[in-house]
Amino acid sequence: MKWFLLFVAALGLGLATADSSADSIETTYNYYRLPTSLRPQKYHLRILTLLENPEDLRFSGSVKILIEALENTKNVTLHSKNLTIDESQITLRQIGGEGKKENCVSSTAVNPSHDFYILNTCQELLAGNTYELYMPFAADLNRQLEGYYRSSYKDPVANLTKWISVTQFEPASARLAFPCFDEPDFKAPFVVTLGYHKKYTAISNMPEKETKPHETLADYIWCEFQESVPMSTYLVAYSVNDFSHKPSTLPNSALFRTWARPNAIDQCDYAAQFGPKVLQYYEQFFGIKFPLPKIDQIAVPDFSAGAMENWGLVTYREIALLYSAAHSSLADKQRVASVVAHELAHQWFGNLVTMKWWTDLWLNEGFATYVASLGVENINPEWRSMEQESLSNLLTIFRRDALESSHPISRPIQMVSEISESFDQISYQKGSTVLRMMHLFLGEESFRSGLQAYLQKFSYKNAEQDNLWESLTQAAHKYRSLPKSYDIISIMDSWTLQTGYPVINVTRDYAARTAKLNQERYLLNTQVARAYRGGCWWVPLSYTTQAVQDFNNTAPKAWMECGKNGESLPKTIQDLPGPDQWVIFNTQLSTLYKVNYDAQNWKLLIETLTNGDFERIHVINRAQLIDDALYLAWTGEQDYEIAMRLIEYLQREREYLPWKSAFENLKRVGRIVRQTPDFEFFKRYMKKLILPIYEHLNGINDTFSAIPQQDQVLLKTMVVNWACQYQVGDCVPQALAYYRNWRAEANPDEKNPVPINVRSTVYCTSIKHGSDSDWEFLWTRYKKSNVAAEKRTILTALGCSREVWLLQRYLELTFDPKEAIRKQDSMWAFQAVAFNEVGFLLAKKYFMDNVDFIYKFYHPLTKDMSRLLSPLSEQVITLSDFNEFKDFVNNSRQSLKGLEQAIQQTLEIMLTNVQWKERNYHQMSRSIQQLL
C-alpha cells in the first residue's frame, strides 16, 4: 500500500487509504482562484518532524481549520500538493450557527493543475454557519528547497552531517506542508504546535507558549506557540534545528534573536546589531509599532531565495545574514545590511498589509526595496548607499526595461508558475525606482503621511495598488504637493501598467531661449519601427542650467502630460539660457527616463566635463550623462564620437558612481569586441582610460584602511578589478605576488595576507595566469571555508581559468550533487565559466547538450536555471549563432518550461548584440583609434 500512496503523493493527487471513497476525478471547477464561499477563521496546525534517521527524514501532522461559510456550498475546496492524506480520518462538523447538524465528507476529488483538493460534503454548508475541518497528512521532508524541506551542514568537530528542517512557502508552497487556503487574501490566525526530539530547538512565527512530553514517543516533546495575528499562509514559518542564537538588546523593542549553525554563530554579530536598529527606524517611519512580541532571523545553509520575510521568523541564505570581519568585504557587509533592511521593511509592507493577489506583488517587493535603502541610509549615512542603490537600480532597469519582452510592474497572473516569474528586476528595482520618483515629486510630508494612512487603514487586511494611490492622492492634495487637477492614479498607472520607459528628446531653440520636448518609448531593438514604440508617461520634469547649477532641487518645474486617449502631448519649456550654456534635465536622475539633447547642448556638456568645473554637476547626473550618451550611441540615436568624447573626461573623475556607470556600459561593448580583430584598440583605450584613476588610488596595494570614504573603497575595489583584466600598471604582477604569499602560508585557512576588498580580483587573476596547482589550492580553500561570502568569491574565481580541461571539469562538478557546491550556488560557478572568454563556448555547449539534465537538477525552482542564460545572451554576436540558439530553444521546449520570459529576453538581447555589431562596430572602432 505504502509505495502506492507515495506514488500518488508524488503525482500531487493527495489521496490515501484503500478504504476511502476518494476519486481523483477532475472536477468541473477549473478557475485558478479558490471559490469565495468559505473563509478560514483560524488554523490549529500540529506537525511531528523526524530528523533522527538521515535515510528517512519526514513529517506527519494534522490541521484543524475553523471555517466560516459566506455562501451556501456543497464542498470545501482548498490547496494540497504532494501530501499523503488518510481520508478515513477526515472529519467535518458544524460548531456555530443555526441548528447544529452532523456533517461529513462524502467523497473527494483533486484538480492537479491548480493543486485543488475538493471535499464534497454530506450536507450543504450554509451561509453564516461555522464549521471545523480536521485533516491528517504526511510527507517526506523534500530536497527541493520549498514547502517544508530538509537542509544540512557539516559539524567539523564530530565530522558529521547534521540535518535540520525549515519552511519556504512564498509564493504558493504552504500547500506542500499542510492543506490550506493558500492565497494571500485568505488571512487567518495560526496556532502552531511542533513535535520533535528534545535534543533539538523549534522556532516559529510566535514565541513559545508551552512544552509537554509526547504522549507515545520517548524523548519527544510537543511545543505549542502563541496564537499569531491574522496572516497569509505564505508567511507561516517553522524550523526544527540544533542551531545557536545571539540575542540583541535594545530597550523598548521586541525580543530579537539571530540564529545560525553553532560553528557560524560568531558571524551573527553584525546582523544582530543592525537588525534591531532598522526595526526601530521603521517603527518611527511608518508610525506603527512592530506588532509581534519577538522576531527571529535565521541563516539557513540550503535556501533558494535570498531571504524570506516570514512574520516574526525571517529566513536567510547564509551570505545574506552572516558577516565575518576577517573574510567579508565592504560590499558583502552592505549586502547583509540591505537584505536585512529589505526583509524587516516587509514586516509592515507585505505582512501587516498584504497584496490581494500576486498581480500587485511589486507593492511588497518594490516598497521593501525602496524603504530598505532609506533604512540603510539612516543608519549608515557614511556609505552613501541611497545614491548607490538608486543608480544601481536605474542602470539595471534602463537595460531590462528597454527590451520589448519586458513586462509591466503590475501584471495579471493566472498560474503559479507566472507568480515565480514576477520575482524579478521589474518588481524589485523598477518598483523601487518609481516609488523613489513619487517620493521626490510629493516631498517628505505627503509621502510619509499617505503611507501611514494606507498602513493604518489596511492593517491585517489586503489591498490593491489603487488603495495606495488613493491614500497618497489625499495626502498630496492636503499638503499641496500636487495640483488639484492631478491624481496619483493617472500618474502612477502610466508607470506601473505599461511596459518600458521613455526617452525624452530635448531640442533647444537658442534664439528664443526655449526647448521643445517630446517622448517615446526607448527600445534596444532598433528594428522596431518608431510608429510601434508609442506609449505615454506622466513625467515630472526637473532641470537646471549652467548658470544656476541647482542639483539639490528635485521637485518638478513642469510635467509632461498624456492626453485623454493616452497620447503623448509635446511640451515647451520657456526662459532657458542662451547658446553658451547647457541645460541638464532629470536632476539626480529622479525619474526613470533617458534624455537626448541637440548637438550643441551635448557639445557644451562635453566642454564642461573635459575642461571645466565638472564636479559642480551632481555626481548622479555625471553618471547619467555617461549612461545616456553610451546607450543612445548603442541604439544609433547618437553618434559614438559624441559618446567617446564625453567619457574621455573620466581621466579626471575620482568618484564611484560615474565610473560604475561607465564600466557597466563598457563591459557590454567589451564582451562583443573581444571576439573581433579590433580588440587590440579597445584594450589600449581601456588602459589609457583606467591608468590615471588606478595610480590615483595607489594601485592594488593595501591602502584600504587609509581611505576615509566608504564609497572610495568600492571605487578602488572596482578599478583594481578592471585594471587587472586589462593588465594596467603593476596590477597583474602584484596580484600574483599576493597569491604566492598566501600559498606560502603554513596554515592558509587561518592566515590570508590578501587584502579583503581585492580578494576576488587577486584570486581570479591568479587562476587566469596560474597553474593547475593554483586552481587545486583554491578549490581546497573553498571546501574548507566556513564563510558564505568567501565561498562565493572563490566559486567565481575558479571560473577564471584559461585551461579548457579545468573549465570542463568545473562545469561538471558544479552540477554534481555529491560535490561541495550547493544547488543554490551552482549558478555562480556556471556564470563564472560562461563570462570567461575561453569558457563561454564550453558553457554554451554544456548548457545546450545537457539541458534536460539541468532542468531536472533545478526543478521545480526553474528560476535559478534562468540565471544561467544571462552570460550566454551577452556574448552571442553573430546571426548564425543567434539562429542556432533559436533552433535549440524551439527543440527544447519541454526542458525550458517555466523559463518562457527569460528565454524571450535572452533571444532579444542576442539580437540587439547582432544589430550592434553590424551597425556600430566599425564606427566605434574608428572613434577609439582617433582617441589613441
Side-chain angles (χ1 to χ4, degrees), residues 874-890:
E874 299 286 348
Q875 296 173 94
V876 164
I877 64 167
T878 65
L879 197 55
S880 57
D881 286 353
F882 168 70
N883 287 329
E884 178 200 26
F885 197 80
K886 203 159 74 168
D887 292 343
F888 156 73
V889 165
N890 289 330

Side-chain angles (χ1 to χ4, degrees), residues 33 39 169-173 175 181-188 230-235 308-309 311 342 345-368 409-413 418-420 422-423 427-428 454-455 458-468:
R33 298 283 296 273
R39 295 281 311 176
F169 290 165
E170 187 178 30
S173 296
R175 63 193 68 177
F181 296 85
D182 198 11
E183 289 183 8
D185 202 12
F186 287 80
K187 284 190 174 183
M231 61 183 182
S232 305
T233 48
Y234 79 85
L235 293 168
M308 177 62 212
E309 67 267 19
W311 217 347
H342 178 102
H346 273 307
Q347 307 301 305
W348 286 264
F349 247 97
N351 300 7
L352 183 65
V353 180
T354 312
M355 73 260 140
K356 275 195 176 162
W357 181 240
W358 299 101
T359 294
D360 286 327
L361 169 71
W362 83 274
L363 276 185
N364 275 17
E365 298 304 346
F367 249 99
I409 290 179
S410 179
R411 61 168 174 177
I413 287 200
E418 293 174 339
I419 307 173
S420 300
S422 284
F423 286 83
S427 292
Y428 287 70
Y454 166 79
L455 288 170
F458 293 100
S459 284
Y460 305 108
K461 300 191 187 85
N462 297 72
E464 296 169 305
Q465 69 173 24
D466 283 3
N467 302 130
L468 177 61

Side-chain angles (χ1 to χ4, degrees), residues 7 51 136 183 200 241 253 264 309 324 339 357 377 415 488 554 562 570 577 657 678 686 700 730 787-788 794 813 817:
F7 168 70
L51 288 174
E183 289 183 8
Y200 293 103
N241 60 64
S253 73
E309 67 267 19
S324 159
V339 178
W357 181 240
E377 181 77 9
M415 293 293 286
I488 297 284
T554 54
C562 306
L657 297 180
D678 282 0
M686 291 304 291
I700 194 171
D730 63 355
V787 178
I794 294 174
L813 62 82

Side-chain angles (χ1 to χ4, degrees), residues 469-588:
W469 302 155
E470 280 156 23
S471 296
L472 285 160
T473 300
Q474 284 165 8
H477 289 157
K478 178 182 167 187
Y479 291 104
R480 301 189 172 172
S481 57
L482 203 62
K484 271 277 190 273
S485 57
Y486 284 22
D487 60 65
I488 297 284
I489 292 185
S490 311
I491 295 166
M492 294 306 289
D493 278 0
S494 75
W495 292 98
T496 62
L497 300 183
Q498 65 180 338
T499 308
Y501 62 85
V503 54
I504 292 185
N505 297 303
V506 176
T507 312
R508 292 178 62 184
D509 180 333
Y510 292 91
R513 301 202 167 196
T514 60
K516 198 168 175 10
L517 277 60
N518 61 50
Q519 59 166 308
E520 61 181 346
R521 182 172 173 199
Y522 181 75
L523 286 171
L524 281 176
N525 182 353
T526 49
Q527 289 174 350
V528 179
R530 279 231 140 79
Y532 293 107
R533 294 192 179 189
C536 178
W537 289 263
W538 284 75
V539 183
L541 295 169
S542 55
Y543 57 89
T544 190
T545 64
Q546 195 165 347
V548 179
Q549 300 208 23
D550 177 8
F551 286 96
N552 290 325
N553 182 9
T554 54
K557 296 182 178 171
W559 284 79
M560 286 206 81
E561 301 177 8
C562 306
K564 288 273 186 286
N565 305 314
E567 75 282 11
S568 166
L569 306 174
K571 183 86 189 170
T572 301
I573 304 287
Q574 310 283 347
D575 304 323
L576 291 177
D580 56 342
Q581 283 193 31
W582 48 252
V583 174
I584 291 180
F585 276 82
N586 207 4
T587 317
Q588 290 189 43

Side-chain angles (χ1 to χ4, degrees), residues 339-410:
V339 178
V340 170
H342 178 102
E343 301 312 323
L344 296 183
H346 273 307
Q347 307 301 305
W348 286 264
F349 247 97
N351 300 7
L352 183 65
V353 180
T354 312
M355 73 260 140
K356 275 195 176 162
W357 181 240
W358 299 101
T359 294
D360 286 327
L361 169 71
W362 83 274
L363 276 185
N364 275 17
E365 298 304 346
F367 249 99
T369 303
Y370 181 58
V371 174
S373 50
L374 297 177
V376 176
E377 181 77 9
N378 177 269
I379 292 160
N380 291 100
E382 74 282 4
W383 287 352
R384 296 172 65 183
S385 58
M386 186 73 203
E387 286 182 356
Q388 289 166 26
E389 172 109 358
S390 302
L391 181 72
S392 178
N393 291 343
L394 281 152
L395 293 177
T396 299
I397 296 309
F398 277 145
R399 176 136 180 94
R400 170 54 53 96
D401 218 22
L403 298 174
E404 259 195 300
S405 52
S406 184
H407 63 85
I409 290 179
S410 179

Side-chain angles (χ1 to χ4, degrees), residues 16-21 86 88:
T17 56
D19 58 352
S20 89
S21 55
D86 181 349
S88 66

